[in-house]
Amino acid sequence: MSKMDDYDGPILEIDKLSISFFTRLREIPAVMDFSVNVMPGEAVGLVGESGCGKSTVALGVMQDLGKNGRIVGGTIKFKGRDLSQMSDAELRDIRGNEIAMIYQEPMASLNPAMKIGKQLMEVPMIHEGVGEQEAYARALEVVTDVRLPDPERMLNSFPHQLSGGQQQRIVIAMALMSKPSLLILDEPTTALDVTVEAAVVDLVKDLGKKYGTSMLFISHNLGLVLETCDRLCVMYSGEAVERGSIADVFDYMQHPYTQALFRSIPLPGADKNARPLVAIPGNFPLPHERPPGCNFGPRCDYFVEGRCDAQDIPMVPVKGYERHSTRCLRHEEIDWDAPITVGEQKEKAPVGEVVLKMDNLKKYYEVAANALFGGGNKKVVKANETLSFEARESETLAIVGESGCGKSTFAKVLMGLETATDGQILLDGKNIEQIPIEARNTKTVADVQMVFQNPFDTLNPSMTVGRQIMRALEIFGVGDTEAARRDRMLELLDLVKLPRAFAERMPRQLSGGQKQRVGIARAFAGGARIVVADEPVSALDVSVQAAVTDLLMEIQRNEKTTLLFISHDLSIVRYLSDRVMVMYLGHVVELGDTEQVFAPPYHPYTEALLSAVPIADTSVEKERIVLEGDIPSAMNPPSGCPFQTRCRWKAQVPDGLCDREVPPMRQLAEGHQVKCHLSEEILSQMTPVIKIAAE
């Protein structure tokens, strides 16, 4: 079958699609009555929380639903032909040749034992029968297209020799090898740093234009969809609930779920005290427990009994808008412009005394220069270079930077999982930098606690929730009797807003957000003074993120905890933190209160980080700054300023100073420090990266 180049209708036409999975007990409907079209050259975003059926739709398009999955209604047409009517041979031909898919985890798509060049050359050799030389030339072209340095060396490398961002670019190159008509991207940037994500997103847009590829972009990040797509479709619990152009859905939303999603993400202007985020009440329904009528009904502010739950609700067009439709009976009665009922305004607890002080902390690791055979020269990895800062009672200090910048190393030294190479850490005036965790007394252990990134890995799967919290209480020496500890455990469940009945549940019976709450309850069990939250919401859905961050803030207000919030998501940092510390390659490059760090003058790295954050707001204008090159390795960092290899301002500094000397930490204003050689004059000329257009 040759490519159907003369076809000019929709590339992908999904009409009233229903997909179910069959278990021995029952049929589980995963997608119901779902329709969406993708036109030639168009990018359509598919947005929704985990479990809403986005990936199931993609697998349906690939006709790859496994043994248990079946299409039980509707059709999927590709260039006008029904995919379910095609033979296996035709499907095989279309799959690699005309429809390509990019998955979330790049390593899952690459063969670890085969060089990159060979993996790329296979695509046209198998699908189009071209010779080796032509295949190599094409592989070289796409690797150059996806902006990888030294393409020939890349083709000669194995996957493990590349960074995550480079692997993801190779996967994109592989998908583009046969110039497909449709590219399906399933959360392609979730595992990447924001700066790498920005570069990959730019790349996908440019390549879409160059190759005229249509795209179906699956994501839960509304900001990314705004930056990459022309139209979007919002999904909730297996159904499409709203469809339209980006401008229609972002600015004239017509479904309560879309509105609730936007209210739960930290857009510019949100403020944890004056304008807190509004989390969506209740929980996502399980597929076999969906409510009658509107699936979103039980969580909706506009629900009317006897009407919203009386019948199946169809998608209907929104009057006056072309191709904008919604699955809401009441969309014409709701005042969508009504001011948001502001969550109750909170008084921030006054910031108290210094609880934690770090002074010129250094953490170096020694590794064998030849990792395979050991011995030989030792290399030093400088994970943390002269870190100095203070954190006070009731304060939230955010620590921001890309992976590999030393955020987690610093957290390990603070927790006592590692000891410092040099410098000191003072907790309430006492030195703890050389005391490993096993030698720390119970009070110190209880005082410094951690909430981890992945709630799934931190709970014991064979122990009830209540038992796990009570064990923590036992270790921290809280409560004299089992009964006293049980009472305190129930109070902690109240504190993290989980029903007391959850004490008897096993971790597998909890959702991600609920598990994270148990992790928080455990961290606060011993009355922690300092809680290190390491990306505590990045594995959670948007609506759950709002609830968990709100919870952390509330506990902090009541307990006067110092919160060290490690994150690469600057939107959440701006919303939550009082002060921000920006790290790059083991150095603190900027430190100041949130307003200072988010307004010019910036450190050049902070400027690039701000530019990379996707913001789900059509009124925001951003200056595009894409960092060239990858983060250097901590094993051989560049000479001079750690950021000089990627800095766009470097030419403004005379005499190659950036190449020679590490810049000194400079005071720009009270409490605002920057590690940079740029002159005062140039720093003062910097303009804001994020501008909100006048209404």
Side-chain angles (χ1 to χ4, degrees):
M1 188 181 97
S2 69
K3 294 210 176 185
M4 303 177 267
D5 289 329
D6 49 356
Y7 181 77
D8 61 354
I11 295 289
L12 181 68
E13 213 171 341
I14 301 180
D15 190 36
K16 298 194 168 39
L17 175 71
S18 296
I19 296 175
S20 289
F21 289 91
F22 292 85
T23 66
R24 278 186 307 223
L25 296 175
R26 57 165 83 89
E27 173 187 347
I28 297 176
V31 174
M32 295 91 65
D33 182 31
F34 177 84
S35 306
V36 74
N37 286 354
V38 183
M39 302 305 285
E42 181 177 54
V44 175
L46 200 49
V47 177
E49 298 173 275
S50 45
C52 72
K54 312 184 292 286
S55 297
T56 307
V57 169
L59 292 172
V61 175
M62 297 303 278
Q63 297 286 305
D64 180 19
L65 290 166
K67 287 204 290 284
N68 300 350
R70 267 213 300 280
I71 292 179
V72 290
T75 55
I76 304 176
K77 289 182 178 167
F78 174 70
K79 294 189 175 177
R81 295 187 54 198
D82 189 336
L83 287 170
S84 62
Q85 305 299 314
M86 292 187 188
S87 68
D88 284 352
E90 284 180 304
L91 276 176
R92 255 199 314 277
D93 191 41
I94 275 190
R95 260 189 213 133
N97 200 10
E98 297 231 33
I99 304 179
M101 184 152 173
I102 296 170
Y103 295 90
Q104 187 165 356
E105 187 43 71
M107 263 323 263
S109 317
L110 294 171
N111 179 339
M114 197 177 183
K115 286 187 174 168
I116 298 286
K118 199 144 189 267
Q119 297 192 48
L120 289 171
M121 286 160 63
E122 269 191 348
V123 181
M125 285 165 77
I126 290 172
H127 283 288
E128 298 166 48
V130 303
E132 246 181 76
Q133 269 180 311
E134 190 190 331
Y136 183 80
R138 272 178 51 185
L140 203 56
E141 182 196 357
V142 290
V143 172
T144 315
D145 270 349
V146 295
R147 304 195 197 127
L148 280 166
D150 198 349
E152 278 156 353
R153 184 175 63 82
M154 286 289 159
L155 294 181
N156 208 21
S157 306
F158 286 99
H160 69 265
Q161 295 170 304
L162 311 185
S163 69
Q166 290 173 334
Q167 287 170 1
Q168 193 59 293
R169 286 169 194 223
I170 291 292
V171 173
I172 293 173
M174 211 154 149
L176 291 167
M177 273 304 280
S178 58
K179 303 194 169 51
S181 313
L182 176 67
L183 191 54
I184 300 174
L185 301 106
D186 190 357
E187 303 263 13
T189 58
T190 320
L192 306 176
D193 274 316
V194 274
T195 49
V196 182
E197 175 179 82
V200 168
V201 162
D202 260 22
L203 175 76
V204 167
K205 285 199 306 210
D206 290 353
L207 295 170
K209 288 194 189 80
K210 174 174 175 179
Y211 291 108
T213 314
S214 307
M215 286 189 274
L216 187 61
F217 193 97
I218 296 174
S219 180
H220 64 261
N221 183 330
L222 287 159
L224 265 187
V225 167
L226 168 69
E227 292 189 0
T228 40
C229 300
D230 308 302
R231 288 192 312 123
L232 85 157
C233 172
V234 181
M235 281 187 85
Y236 180 78
S237 190
E239 297 179 321
V241 293
E242 183 161 14
R243 269 197 315 266
S245 70
I246 294 284
D248 287 349
V249 178
F250 276 56
D251 300 339
Y252 304 102
M253 53 193 77
Q254 295 287 313
H255 195 282
Y257 174 61
T258 314
Q259 185 184 51
L261 263 188
F262 275 95
R263 286 179 176 178
S264 64
I265 53 181
L267 295 172
D271 175 295
K272 64 181 174 189
N273 298 315
R275 280 204 37 212
L277 300 181
V278 183
I280 305 176
N283 286 317
F284 204 77
L286 292 168
H288 54 281
E289 294 173 356
R290 292 190 176 108
C294 174
N295 282 345
F296 188 58
R299 307 174 72 187
C300 178
D301 292 343
Y302 309 106
F303 178 76
V304 175
E305 207 171 325
R307 207 175 138 198
C308 298
D309 52 4
Q311 63 188 73
D312 279 350
I313 295 170
M315 279 295 262
V316 292
V318 176
K319 282 187 190 134
Y321 289 92
E322 194 196 357
R323 295 175 79 191
H324 186 182
S325 47
T326 176
R327 193 182 293 272
C328 175
L329 283 180
R330 304 195 55 210
H331 73 275
E332 290 181 350
E333 307 159 22
I334 295 169
D335 177 4
W336 297 102
D337 298 323
I340 178 169
T341 43
V342 175
E344 57 175 303
Q345 298 199 0
K346 308 282 181 15
E347 274 300 306
K348 179 163 170 34
V351 171
E353 297 297 307
V354 172
V355 177
L356 178 73
K357 183 172 163 60
M358 282 208 183
D359 203 15
N360 287 334
L361 178 82
K362 294 183 182 179
K363 176 62 186 170
Y364 295 173
Y365 293 99
E366 276 200 350
V367 291
N370 184 335
L372 195 55
F373 301 109
N377 301 333
K378 291 275 192 192
K379 268 198 159 173
V380 172
V381 176
K382 299 181 174 182
N384 286 159
E385 250 323 355
T386 58
L387 285 188
S388 297
F389 70 88
E390 294 176 345
R392 296 174 180 79
E393 185 179 86
S394 291
E395 176 177 62
T396 304
L397 172 69
I399 297 148
V400 177
E402 296 168 282
S403 46
C405 73
K407 310 187 293 278
S408 298
T409 300
F410 135 79
K412 284 178 186 160
V413 177
L414 177 59
M415 299 290 298
L417 300 172
E418 300 274 1
T419 53
T421 308
D422 194 11
Q424 49 180 352
I425 302 178
L426 298 165
L427 174 64
D428 288 327
K430 295 186 204 58
N431 286 65
I432 57 168
E433 70 283 343
Q434 293 301 336
I435 311 176
I437 193 155
E438 56 274 17
R440 289 186 176 182
N441 61 31
T442 309
K443 178 163 173 15
T444 308
V445 174
D447 273 348
V448 185
Q449 282 294 303
M450 192 153 181
V451 177
F452 295 91
Q453 177 166 6
N454 195 342
F456 306 94
D457 297 343
T458 51
L459 297 180
N460 181 337
S462 57
M463 208 188 257
T464 65
V465 165
R467 195 64 247 145
Q468 304 203 37
I469 298 176
M470 284 166 74
R471 276 213 53 197
L473 290 168
E474 234 165 275
I475 291 165
F476 299 149
V478 175
D480 306 332
T481 61
E482 185 78 358
R485 281 195 281 273
R486 190 171 172 79
D487 289 345
R488 177 70 186 134
M489 178 269 292
L490 293 170
E491 284 169 15
L492 283 162
L493 285 178
D494 297 342
L495 181 74
V496 296
K497 299 191 167 54
L498 283 176
R500 288 187 164 198
F502 273 40
E504 305 311 318
R505 288 200 182 182
M506 300 303 273
R508 63 168 190 278
Q509 297 169 292
L510 271 56
S511 70
Q514 289 165 344
K515 284 183 188 162
Q516 196 57 298
R517 285 164 188 247
V518 176
I520 293 171
R522 220 171 36 176
F524 281 96
R529 302 286 313 271
I530 296 173
V531 170
V532 182
D534 189 358
E535 303 264 12
V537 293
S538 61
L540 306 176
D541 275 318
V542 208
S543 59
V544 184
Q545 275 186 8
V548 172
T549 44
D550 228 28
L551 176 70
L552 274 171
M553 293 292 92
E554 191 173 322
I555 297 176
Q556 180 187 40
R557 271 191 288 271
N558 298 335
E559 312 270 325
K560 297 193 164 39
T561 321
T562 305
L563 198 59
L564 299 182
F565 191 85
I566 298 177
S567 179
H568 65 258
D569 180 346
L570 287 168
S571 312
I572 284 195
V573 164
R574 182 172 203 164
Y575 172 68
L576 275 188
S577 57
D578 303 308
R579 287 194 308 136
V580 181
M581 175 164 109
V582 182
M583 288 183 72
Y584 184 80
L585 220 59
H587 291 260
V588 175
V589 293
E590 184 161 3
L591 177 62
D593 66 40
T594 309
E595 288 308 312
Q596 290 170 328
V597 173
F598 278 80
Y602 312 103
H603 184 280
Y605 175 58
T606 312
E607 180 189 51
L609 271 184
L610 286 172
S611 153
V613 177
I615 299 175
D617 186 337
T618 52
S619 67
V620 167
E621 287 174 28
K622 277 194 319 185
E623 187 179 352
R624 295 298 288 160
I625 303 165
V626 173
L627 287 182
E628 296 300 324
D630 282 326
I631 304 175
S633 153
M635 277 174 79
N636 50 359
S639 59
C641 170
F643 188 58
Q644 52 104 346
T645 53
R646 305 167 79 195
C647 179
R648 66 179 195 144
W649 294 88
K650 186 175 155 185
Q652 311 277 347
V653 178
D655 316 334
L657 191 59
C658 300
D659 298 332
R660 289 197 317 275
E661 287 178 32
V662 176
M665 209 32 155
R666 288 161 51 190
Q667 194 90 1
L668 291 185
E670 179 66 35
H672 188 197
Q673 302 172 315
V674 169
K675 203 179 231 183
C676 184
H677 283 306
L678 285 172
S679 68
E680 299 278 333
E681 189 189 349
I682 289 170
L683 283 168
S684 65
Q685 288 167 9
M686 284 189 171
T687 52
V689 176
I690 296 170
K691 298 186 204 56
I692 298 179
E695 286 296 314

